[in-house]
Structure formats: C-alpha cells, structure tokens
Amino acid sequence: MINEDDIDHNCNEIILDEEDWESVHELSNDDKPQDMSSDENDDHDEDKNYNASDNSDIGGYLIFAFMKCQFKNLDLFYFYFLEVDECSVDWDKYKDEAILTFQKHTDAVYCCSLSKSGKLAISGGGDDKGFLWNTHDGRVHLEIVHKDSLVGISFNHDESLLASVDMKGFLQVYNAQSFQNIYQYNLEDDVTWMKWHPFQDIILVGSASGITWMISLDDVINPLDGFGSSTTCGEIFKDGRRVVAGYDTGYIRIFDIQTFSPIHSIKKPGAHEDSVVSLDITKDDSLIATGSIDSTAKLINSNSGKVVCTILCGKMPENDNSNNTVESVCFCNDLPLLATGSINGLLEIWDINTQKKRNQVELPSGIVKMAWPSGPSFLLFVAGLDGVLHILDGRDGSLKSTKSGHKHHILDFSLSQSNELILTSSEDKTCRLFLNN
C-alpha cells in the first residue's frame, strides 16, 4: 500500500497496482482540497516551479507532489496540495508608504476605484460589502450590502452614479451624491466582470452562462450571446458601439451593442488554446490585445476580426518549458507599445509595428494587473503578488519607484485622472492610498 509518507516528491511517474491505486485515490479524495477550478489554483502550478522544497506562498496551498499515475493503460495526473497557514513572504521588510489605509473590510478587497479627482474611493470585497469613502480621512459615506463577494464596483462616466455587482449576479446602482439606491436587479447568473458604458448610463455584465448582459437603468435588459461557455473578461470600445468579450474556451467575440449581435467571432485555430483572462483596446479602437492561460497574447484587428499575430509570453531562459498565464495586457496611449504581464513575474514590452519584444523585466513576484495612465505618460504601473506596486518607464523598463505597505497580494488598483494618487486593494483586507511622486 502507498501512503502519503511513501511518495517520492521528486518523481514524475509511478506505476501503481490496483491496491496502490486505491490508496492514491483515497489520498486525492479524502485528504486534499477538491476545488481546483479557480484561477488562483490554476496559476500555482505555473508560478516559479514550486516544488516540495520550496516554501513559497501560492495563495493558501503548497504543491508537494506531482504524479502521473498509469492504471489500466490510462495516464492519470494528480497535483497534491498542502494547506499553509502563513505566507512565506516577509511582508514586514516592506515599508508602509501609504498616506491612508482603509480598514473597514473584514475580508479580501477584490476591486476598487478612484474618482477622477481622487477625493472619493469605492471598494468591494469578499465580506459581501462595498464602501464609498473619502480619501482625505477614510470616512465612509455609504455602505453597500450584497449577497456574495463583489466582483465589480465602479463609477459611471460622469461620476454621478456608482454600480456594484456580486458573484451571484445581484446588481445595485447608487446616486453618488445623495447615496440613494436608485436601481437593483438580480441576474440570477454567476457574474465574472462588470463595465460601465463610456458615455451612457448602461452597464455591461459578463456571466458564467456565456451571456454578456447589457443593462440600462430604465429596466431594458438585452443579452449578447456567447458560445455557451463562461465569459471571463470584457472591454467596451471607446466609440461606445462595440464590446469585446473573452471566454474560458479561448474564444473571443466582438458585438455591436446597438443591434445586440456579434460582428466577429474568433474561434480555433485563431483563438487561444485556453481561457482568455485579460483584454485591452487601443486608444483609436483599431486593435485588441488578449492574454490567456495558454501563455500567449494575441493582437486582433477590431475591424476585420483577424488575428494579426500571436505572441509567446512569460518564457524564462532557465525554464523554457514553463507555462505562464498572461494575467494582464495593456496598450500605451502615446507610443505603439503593448505590455504583457505573466504570473511568473515577467513583464514584457512589445513593439506593435514590428511585433517584436522591445524590453523585458523580471519582477520579484507574479504580476496581477498593469496599467498605463489614460493621459500622456510613459509610466507603467504594475501590481504584484508580493504586495508591491512597481512603477516603471515603459520605454526601457527602468524602475522609477515602488509603493509598498500591503501584507498580502495586491488584487486591484486605480489611478486618479492626474495620476497623482494611486488606490490599491489587497488580500490583506485593506485599501491603501499612495502619492505618486
């Protein structure tokens, strides 16, 4: 019989007889976490070659063995996880540079946004709550109660309204001045993302059913049908007429939101091999960038729907076989550059015209989110799993500054219109406000 102590942690293949197979089956079913479907766990087997001797934190579980089990001519793959109580990152080594720490949440803060002036902030978390608060002193103006963890919270185009939605599809809209609830709707569908229209009071919400819901506040709701699989991310074009959605099949679809019909559908062989997890659109709406679990980014002509090129991302010289999710893609507004950020911490800058790599930077931890400011700027903001926000010159990859203070992963961040203030939210249950100086 095989028990947990007998497993060779360095093995990559073992042959089991029927009795031993039953032991492995018992280990996998009885002693290990069963939910392996989340993005968090998907990233772990890719990030930095975690193994039995590596005590690095990977979001709550530590891989201690990978086994390829051959049984009755079938290859069966198992990843075994041990739960870890504490992160191995020495969070105390980072100086807290925040000018304000917001601590009203009682669970991880998944989403946040700053008003254009930077005077107001909104945040939503795993505690089923959203808050509208003052960035001067952290005073709460509004507490929003939901039915599940929030997956989106943001202001509309003129900041007169704010919307929040939770994982179960409960959507709420509030007046940002009077703090009155003006709209509620229950989609009765698991929600994956939410975006406001750039100049109308229309909300687009992506769902696990594959439908992107277009919701106007006069209760007109129109579905944009997908491929029957979960839509994982979405962006609205600056012209306000189209939306692009990515799906967990790797497919991509562009919709006309005036006719509620698809304009272009990118399927295999042009589509990604795995789930699309990040999207961005150029300032002139001509190009779409997508990032995927399959370690690639794609450039797509938004007018023709044709894939311009596929970019292999996140490959480290010392580990050519690594598979690294492209967690974030973003276009520079002032130069023809695309930034891709992978879960192994590799930031790459690509020249759009030549489709060649211009620079790369190996950051100390996995990349969660990146952003180039909307105004003229060459600065690239990069949030990491080490709880640090890195600010780099996107032209040459040189590090300009860092913002630290969080005691766990950064999950989201937002910039004021002047780029003088930065709001971050974290797994450590806090939001932090930084000066960009």
Side-chain angles (χ1 to χ4, degrees):
M1 293 288 288
I2 288 181
N3 59 48
E4 195 167 294
D5 296 331
D6 294 329
I7 294 174
D8 179 1
H9 292 175
N10 296 315
C11 74
N12 58 17
E13 181 172 354
I14 60 173
I15 309 299
L16 303 179
D17 60 26
E18 187 167 351
E19 187 178 20
D20 287 337
W21 161 253
E22 291 175 357
S23 298
V24 174
H25 185 69
E26 289 171 4
L27 278 175
S28 64
N29 284 323
D30 297 337
D31 298 335
K32 302 297 173 282
Q34 296 299 299
D35 184 8
M36 306 286 287
S37 60
S38 70
D39 289 342
E40 184 180 50
N41 285 330
D42 287 343
D43 294 340
H44 299 342
D45 63 277
E46 302 160 359
D47 191 10
K48 298 186 178 178
N49 300 317
Y50 288 104
N51 54 47
S53 61
D54 187 350
N55 292 323
S56 302
D57 170 64
I58 54 172
Y61 295 104
L62 187 69
I63 295 176
F64 73 88
F66 164 75
M67 301 175 69
K68 175 185 176 184
C69 305
Q70 191 178 68
F71 179 62
K72 294 184 178 181
N73 298 319
L74 295 175
D75 287 337
L76 303 170
F77 296 86
Y78 281 91
F79 293 88
Y80 290 96
F81 289 79
L82 286 176
E83 188 166 0
V84 291
D85 295 327
E86 296 181 355
C87 300
S88 62
V89 177
D90 182 10
W91 304 106
D92 292 332
K93 74 179 180 181
Y94 297 115
K95 179 184 177 182
D96 191 349
E97 300 172 297
I99 59 172
L100 186 144
T101 301
F102 183 76
Q103 303 181 76
K104 297 296 184 181
H105 286 282
T106 57
D107 206 333
V109 189
Y110 297 130
C111 44
C112 66
S113 186
L114 273 176
S115 63
K116 294 174 185 177
S117 67
K119 294 180 179 180
L120 293 174
I122 46 179
S123 54
D127 53 4
D128 308 347
K129 290 182 180 180
F131 292 98
L132 169 66
W133 47 280
N134 190 305
T135 58
H136 175 69
D137 54 12
R139 180 166 54 93
V140 173
H141 295 297
L142 174 67
E143 179 177 331
I144 306 167
V145 178
H146 272 266
K147 301 177 180 180
D148 207 332
S149 299
L150 272 71
V151 295
I153 189 165
S154 58
F155 293 104
N156 69 336
H157 61 98
D158 62 5
E159 299 183 343
S160 62
L161 305 173
L162 67 91
S164 58
V165 68
D166 63 33
M167 292 179 68
K168 289 184 177 177
F170 183 45
L171 172 71
Q172 299 189 75
V173 180
Y174 282 81
N175 185 300
Q177 280 76 47
S178 68
F179 314 132
Q180 296 298 307
N181 186 305
I182 64 167
Y183 184 80
Q184 292 185 356
Y185 189 79
N186 194 345
L187 287 166
E188 297 181 351
D189 195 354
D190 291 341
V191 165
T192 51
W193 57 270
M194 179 192 76
K195 302 283 182 180
W196 277 101
H197 190 278
F199 46 82
Q200 296 183 41
D201 290 335
I202 295 173
I203 303 167
L204 283 97
V205 178
S207 70
S209 68
I211 297 172
T212 298
W213 299 96
M214 192 170 75
I215 303 167
S216 63
L217 302 188
D218 55 3
D219 247 353
V220 176
I221 299 170
N222 293 290
L224 307 178
D225 291 329
F227 297 97
S229 61
S230 176
T231 169
T232 48
C233 51
E235 289 289 340
I236 306 172
F237 287 76
K238 279 76 172 177
D239 63 12
R241 298 176 181 175
R242 296 170 292 167
V243 61
V244 57
Y247 298 83
D248 64 4
T249 54
Y251 292 2
I252 301 137
R253 179 164 275 182
I254 303 170
F255 295 92
D256 183 324
I257 62 176
Q258 294 179 316
T259 63
F260 320 120
S261 58
I263 306 169
H264 301 293
S265 297
I266 296 93
K267 303 179 182 179
K268 288 180 173 56
H272 288 282
E273 294 297 321
D274 211 328
S275 179
V276 182
V277 295
S278 51
L279 280 169
D280 197 22
I281 304 170
T282 51
K283 184 170 61 175
D284 63 0
D285 284 342
S286 62
L287 282 175
I288 302 165
T290 59
S292 170
I293 290 175
D294 68 6
S295 301
T296 69
K298 291 181 183 287
L299 286 177
I300 300 166
N301 185 306
S302 67
N303 295 313
S304 67
K306 301 295 184 182
V307 176
V308 177
C309 68
T310 299
I311 304 169
L312 186 61
C313 303
K315 293 298 181 183
M316 299 283 200
E318 64 273 16
N319 187 12
D320 292 335
N321 295 321
S322 63
N323 181 30
N324 293 291
T325 300
V326 184
E327 289 287 338
S328 186
V329 293
C330 60
F331 288 108
C332 180
N333 289 304
D334 300 297
L335 292 172
L337 300 176
L338 171 71
T340 61
S342 300
I343 198 64
N344 67 344
L346 191 62
L347 164 65
E348 295 165 288
I349 309 295
W350 307 86
D351 188 305
I352 295 172
N353 294 331
T354 64
Q355 299 164 20
K356 292 184 178 180
K357 188 187 296 187
R358 181 164 171 170
N359 285 296
Q360 72 174 45
V361 180
E362 293 183 29
L363 294 176
S365 72
I367 294 170
V368 177
K369 179 181 177 178
M370 303 185 302
W372 252 303
S374 55
S377 176
F378 299 116
L379 293 180
L380 178 62
F381 295 77
V382 184
L385 292 175
D386 58 358
V388 177
L389 186 76
H390 303 264
I391 304 173
L392 306 98
D393 188 320
R395 295 169 295 184
D396 58 16
S398 60
L399 182 66
K400 295 303 180 184
S401 65
T402 58
K403 303 299 176 183
S404 59
H406 282 294
K407 304 300 182 183
H408 217 302
H409 314 322
I410 294 176
L411 302 177
D412 196 11
F413 70 87
S414 175
L415 307 173
S416 63
Q417 191 171 48
S418 66
N419 303 322
E420 293 178 356
L421 290 175
I422 310 163
L423 176 68
T424 57
S425 65
S426 170
E427 190 82 30
D428 67 8
K429 308 176 187 178
T430 72
C431 293
R432 279 176 159 79
L433 191 69
F434 299 94
L435 282 176
N436 181 26
N437 48 19

